[in-house]
Every structure is written in structure tokens, then in C-alpha cells.
Amino acid sequence: MFNDRTDAGERLAAKLESRGLEADVVLGIPRGALPVARPVADALDADLDVVVARKMGAPGNPELAIGAVASDGSVWYNDDLLERLGVSEGYLEEIREEEAENAADKADRYRPRDRSGLPDLEGKRAVVVDDGVATGATATACLRQVQDSGAEYVALAVPVGSPRGVADLEREADEVIALETPESFRAVGQFYREFGQVTDEEAMAYLDR
């Protein structure tokens, strides 16, 4: 159980330090990951930036992720769920375009006006951080964007995740580090004493430190 996201970030940072992990840049997934990612970036003496993706919700059930799309258009689909629900190609294309635009708009809010997209990751070591993994939908889209950027090494680091979600993400990254993968997992917030919403202003303050 973590007190809050900062506590989780400090414990995650200690774990990565003990493993001797090295990184050039830490990429938090806004908004909730920024309080976690800040201590990690500080401990690894790495730059802190963001990587953004948006969940694509099922028809009539926006909370059910049929996929996710990153701000550059990198996409992941839950093929089994798409087949089971019989989602049409038309709906899929419409929701992909809508959420890709939303992701790009969010990324723009977090970055200087003179720069769009990820920082230059060619040949660099990147660690993607989130506050937890449930299905892994948004993390998958984010990892694919980072992989496509030419990074030499891409890791995902989270305080807690579902066993299945973490296992699935091991196919998307060079390494996945999760402090806890409890069989009793139901939701990320279950493992935090305080798990309130993080505002855009609060999240951006972590980037400005």
C-alpha cells in the first residue's frame, strides 16, 4: 500500500537505483504519473518529459478500452474484444481519429510552444512511468510511440499493476519493473491511501521543477 503517488515514486526510484538502471529521460503519462515520475527522474539524474495516449472506449461503454492511441497516432487494439463486440471499422476509425487529436492537444499543453512531439530519443535510454497498470492499454500505445522514436532502450516502471497487464506489457518494452503485481488486483487506486485526481496545473508543476 502506497501513501500517495509521491511515496510510490520514491519507492519506485529506490528500486530502480538498486538495480543500477540508467536512463537519459523519464517519460510520465499525464496526468497521474507525473508525481510518480518526478522522484524517479531525480534519482536517475534524467530529464523528465511526457508521453501521451488516450483510451478508445467501446460503443456505448466509454470506460471499456477497445484500444488506445498515442499523440503521434501510434495505436493498440484489443483484437479479442473488438471481435467479441463486433465493432465496426467506421466506429474504430472515428474514435481513433478523435482520441489521437485529444492526445495531441494534451501533449501540446505540456510542452513548450517551440517544440511538439517527444524529445529526441534517438539512441537514448528511456523509462516510461505510470502510477499503475490495469489493462495496460494506454501504456502500450505510449511504449509503441517511444519505441518508434528510435530509443536504444525502453523500460516501463510502475508501482503496481495487474499480473496480466504487466505480462502483456513485457512484450512491448525491453524491461518492465513493477513493485507489486498482486493477484487481488481490481483497480490501481486500491493500492493507494490517497489517489485523488491530479490537475493539469499540478502535473505541469512537476515538469517545471
Side-chain angles (χ1 to χ4, degrees):
M1 179 70 71
F2 305 102
N3 291 330
D4 55 21
R5 290 179 175 90
T6 297
D7 173 48
E10 290 170 350
R11 289 160 66 176
L12 186 59
K15 177 67 171 180
L16 299 182
E17 278 191 299
S18 72
R19 293 172 63 120
L21 189 144
E22 297 179 356
D24 299 298
V25 62
V26 171
L27 300 165
I29 302 176
R31 298 179 301 251
L34 270 300
V36 182
R38 179 77 264 175
V40 172
D42 291 345
L44 300 181
D45 194 24
D47 294 333
L48 178 61
D49 209 297
V50 296
V51 57
V52 182
R54 294 272 297 188
K55 178 174 65 177
M56 295 186 292
N61 187 359
E63 293 305 311
L64 180 61
I66 56 173
V69 58
S71 57
D72 72 337
S74 301
V75 68
W76 167 80
Y77 295 119
N78 185 330
D79 293 325
D80 291 340
L81 190 55
L82 289 175
E83 183 176 353
R84 190 160 76 244
L85 296 177
V87 179
S88 71
E89 288 292 335
Y91 175 85
L92 202 57
E93 182 61 20
E94 180 182 346
I95 194 70
R96 186 195 65 79
E97 290 182 359
E98 177 184 338
E99 294 301 354
E101 184 175 341
N102 288 337
D105 288 345
K106 178 181 259 189
D108 288 344
R109 288 202 302 274
Y110 282 79
R111 294 199 172 103
R113 292 181 181 274
D114 61 350
R115 180 169 70 79
S116 61
L118 289 171
D120 179 13
L121 297 178
E122 188 70 37
K124 294 184 178 178
R125 296 174 62 85
V127 178
V128 176
V129 173
D130 206 352
D131 54 11
V133 165
T135 65
T138 54
T140 298
C142 288
L143 287 168
R144 291 185 179 182
Q145 181 178 5
V146 177
Q147 294 278 17
D148 291 345
S149 72
E152 175 186 275
Y153 165 89
V154 181
L156 174 70
V158 295
V160 63
S162 70
R164 179 173 179 176
V166 168
D168 288 345
L169 288 164
E170 288 174 345
R171 296 193 293 266
E172 302 290 339
D174 294 301
E175 189 173 6
V176 176
I177 302 99
L179 298 183
E180 299 179 11
T181 55
E183 291 294 337
S184 61
F185 186 98
R186 296 188 304 276
V188 172
Q190 165 190 2
F191 300 95
Y192 287 82
R193 291 186 178 89
E194 294 181 18
F195 197 65
Q197 290 285 343
V198 177
T199 67
D200 280 329
E201 292 74 17
E202 289 170 339
M204 285 186 279
Y206 289 100
L207 290 170
D208 291 338
R209 288 186 187 177

